[in-house]
Amino acid sequence: MAKVTVILAIYNVEKYLEKCLNSLLDQTFDDINILAIDDGSPDNSLSILKKYSKISNKIKYIKQDNGGYGSAIETAINNIDTKYFLICDPDDWLKKDCIEKLYRSAEENDVDMTIADTFYVYGNSVKSEYRRGTHRNYNIEPYKKYNDITSFTFFSPTPHAKLFKTELARHIKFPHHTSYTDTLLFLLCLNNCKSIYYINEPLAYYYFDRPGNTAENIFGTTYSQKTFNDQMTVINSTIQQLNNQKKIKYVIYYRLYVEITSIISRLKSIKDGNYQENCATIYNSL
């Protein structure tokens, strides 16, 4: 029986999908399932999945109507039975020993999450850039078990090189047709998490600025009303689900507050939005 499920949320990634799948099939850790959710992708992605599922019985796929990234992740989590899962965006890829290092660290140290760093890859460069996920204000020593998640609250929320115990995310609800749900997944898993292990080594490759990557809409010059709406939907959903938890790690509220202040700093750059209405939306979320 497989020990780790790798989740792929598929939408318009035919140019990158084979490289991703090859990196998963080439892992040094063999006890994996690869569950791909085709989220109503109009391109050739489903044909590629069908071809690879015949090459390897590790690969399974589910086809669904388009519901957005969070919807695909939710479908996957509801259909896995392994102890752990890892998300690999289908335009990215993993180092050969990524899953092995994450899994061994989780098992040997009995932790709920294992987190490593990432290589950032840019379309105009053949070189990769090592990016630590830790925040400059929080010193997290590597190769150590942490029972206090406070220092990880400001860790990069992207799913790259993160191994989750499946039980952490089993009851999380994801907003559909909404981007930036990585933040919701990471923070709600942190709230349920009792222990974390950190590896200060880049184990995943993140194609950061590919065309269509939603990260560009946050950090670039194209911050829009849709980006704002999606971010606020994710924040409000995270707060609502936190409020329904029996135990709450209140430092996560502070992390959300900082996220909101970052959004406020971008409000003036929204050319297609109503500044006062957006301010009211933020006020009502607090």
Side-chain angles (χ1 to χ4, degrees):
M1 182 177 176
K3 297 179 172 63
V4 176
T5 296
V6 182
I7 295 173
L8 301 178
I10 306 294
Y11 189 80
N12 277 3
V13 288
E14 64 179 2
K15 294 181 180 178
Y16 318 100
L17 184 53
E18 291 199 13
K19 182 173 184 177
C20 176
L21 290 171
N22 288 333
S23 83
L24 299 179
L25 294 176
D26 198 34
Q27 289 291 300
T28 57
F29 187 77
D30 194 54
D31 294 332
I32 65 171
N33 289 329
I34 301 167
L35 179 56
I37 309 299
D38 181 274
D39 192 42
S41 185
D43 69 354
N44 197 42
S45 295
L46 183 59
S47 296
I48 295 171
L49 288 175
K50 289 179 177 179
K51 181 181 75 172
Y52 271 78
S53 68
K54 294 176 181 177
I55 295 173
S56 173
N57 59 10
K58 294 178 183 178
I59 300 175
K60 308 294 182 184
Y61 63 87
I62 297 174
K63 180 175 173 57
Q64 67 176 29
D65 293 336
N66 180 256
Y69 180 82
S71 170
I73 300 300
E74 186 175 79
T75 297
I77 292 172
N78 289 336
N79 282 276
I80 61 179
D81 56 7
T82 52
K83 183 178 180 180
Y84 301 98
F85 74 90
L86 176 148
I87 298 171
C88 182
D89 288 344
D91 54 344
D92 303 326
W93 60 99
L94 305 181
K95 286 186 67 176
K96 288 186 66 170
D97 58 354
C98 174
I99 299 176
E100 180 175 8
K101 286 186 175 179
L102 292 174
Y103 175 80
R104 301 297 181 202
S105 296
E107 286 288 286
E108 291 171 5
N109 295 280
D110 188 25
V111 294
D112 293 332
M113 292 173 60
T114 308
I115 298 176
D117 292 328
T118 308
F119 284 117
Y120 275 47
V121 180
Y122 300 91
N124 60 356
S125 173
V126 295
K127 295 183 179 179
S128 56
E129 176 185 337
Y130 174 24
R131 288 281 194 94
R132 297 190 66 186
T134 55
H135 190 277
R136 62 184 177 277
N137 293 338
Y138 294 88
N139 180 34
I140 303 177
E141 295 181 29
Y143 306 106
K144 178 180 175 181
K145 179 177 179 177
Y146 287 81
N147 295 315
D148 180 357
I149 61 92
T150 300
S151 297
F152 290 90
T153 310
F154 284 88
F155 204 96
S156 170
T158 67
H160 304 92
K162 290 181 175 66
L163 188 73
F164 301 88
K165 266 190 180 175
T166 303
E167 64 186 30
L168 297 178
R170 186 67 80 183
H171 301 294
I172 293 176
K173 301 299 181 185
F174 292 80
H176 292 192
H177 301 289
T178 304
S179 301
Y180 315 113
T181 53
D182 291 342
T183 298
L184 178 147
L185 173 66
F186 182 61
L187 293 182
L188 290 177
C189 282
L190 276 184
N191 190 66
N192 297 329
C193 182
K194 295 179 181 177
S195 54
I196 304 180
Y197 191 84
Y198 169 54
I199 302 171
N200 66 334
E201 179 183 349
L203 296 179
Y205 291 84
Y206 177 21
Y207 186 4
F208 182 77
D209 65 343
R210 79 154 173 96
N213 190 337
T214 54
E216 278 287 281
N217 295 329
I218 295 180
F219 301 106
T221 59
T222 57
Y223 192 78
S224 67
Q225 185 65 41
K226 183 182 185 314
T227 301
F228 170 82
N229 291 343
D230 284 358
Q231 286 187 292
M232 293 309 302
T233 296
V234 167
I235 286 173
N236 287 327
S237 180
T238 305
I239 292 172
Q240 181 180 9
Q241 292 183 68
L242 273 176
N243 290 343
N244 291 330
Q245 299 292 319
K246 293 181 179 179
K247 294 183 179 180
I248 302 173
K249 297 181 173 74
Y250 286 95
V251 67
I252 295 176
Y253 284 123
Y254 177 61
R255 173 69 179 86
L256 289 167
Y257 164 77
V258 173
E259 186 78 10
I260 290 171
T261 61
S262 176
I263 291 172
I264 291 173
S265 71
R266 295 185 176 92
L267 285 182
K268 290 288 188 181
S269 67
I270 301 178
K271 297 177 181 179
D272 57 341
N274 185 304
Y275 180 77
Q276 291 183 333
E277 288 182 2
N278 289 339
C279 288
T281 297
I282 292 174
Y283 177 80
N284 290 332
S285 73
L286 299 175

